[in-house]
Amino acid sequence: SPSAQSHIEFPAVLLNTSDGEIESEFHMYVQPQEHPLLSEFCTELTGITQVHQVDDGVPLHICLSQFSKWIQKIQKEKNIIFTSGHSSCAASEGKLCAFVTWSDWDLGVCLHYECKRKQLRKPDILNSWIDLRATYKVKVLSSWSITII
């Protein structure tokens, strides 16, 4: 159930799409508070281990606080502006930036329910992203043509 899932890792990179270079990285392991022991399935799926990763992680509220500080720092240092889908910010004000995910699961479902359950405020900046999987499906599937013989 999506309402019972927890984050155990919170990674992000700032990628310069002009040259493909990673300009900044954020990474933290998150201690699951409600179900502190990882299942064998979870470890096999993610490669994340209990000892030295999750056990050394931080609670989600600390992770989100550190993530927000990282975002503020790179916004100042790199002069970037995060798009919100309906934003009318001019590119001249800074370099446009967006979160990109593979599906809506992490930001739209899992993090939403986990923050709600734990009575945490999800950073507003994480309310808008580009779903690369949906974009890929539209681009690839719409370019296919099927001929029936």
Side-chain angles (χ1 to χ4, degrees):
S1 155
S3 59
Q5 300 291 319
S6 295
H7 280 80
I8 56 173
E9 183 179 32
F10 206 97
V13 295
L14 177 63
L15 177 72
N16 185 327
T17 57
S18 298
D19 60 15
E21 293 294 316
I22 294 175
E23 295 192 6
S24 186
E25 296 181 59
F26 177 88
H27 184 269
M28 287 192 131
Y29 289 106
V30 180
Q31 289 177 346
Q33 305 289 302
E34 297 141 322
H35 304 285
L37 296 178
L38 296 182
S39 67
E40 187 178 328
F41 171 78
C42 183
T43 298
E44 287 178 14
L45 178 69
T46 65
I48 296 171
T49 62
Q50 189 76 43
V51 179
H52 303 304
Q53 289 179 316
V54 170
D55 286 347
D56 293 341
V58 298
L60 183 61
H61 72 278
I62 292 172
C63 178
L64 291 176
S65 173
Q66 293 299 314
F67 178 76
S68 294
K69 288 177 185 173
W70 176 72
I71 289 291
Q72 290 169 359
K73 181 179 180 232
I74 64 171
Q75 282 180 304
K76 284 182 188 173
E77 288 178 359
K78 309 282 186 184
N79 190 31
I80 58 174
I81 298 166
F82 283 89
T83 60
S84 62
H86 53 275
S87 173
S88 59
C89 291
S92 62
E93 295 175 31
K95 299 174 196 164
L96 292 179
C97 191
F99 289 101
V100 179
T101 64
W102 188 258
S103 89
D104 291 334
W105 174 255
D106 286 321
L107 295 179
V109 179
C110 190
L111 187 61
H112 170 78
Y113 282 112
E114 187 173 6
C115 286
K116 193 173 181 178
R117 223 174 38 250
K118 295 177 177 178
Q119 298 180 336
L120 301 175
R121 187 169 189 270
K122 183 170 103 176
D124 289 339
I125 202 161
L126 294 175
N127 288 328
S128 181
W129 62 91
I130 297 168
D131 178 352
L132 200 56
R133 184 175 70 173
T135 304
Y136 177 80
K137 282 181 179 178
V138 168
K139 295 285 185 200
V140 171
L141 297 180
S142 67
S143 66
W144 288 1
S145 63
I146 300 173
T147 306
I148 300 175
I149 301 175

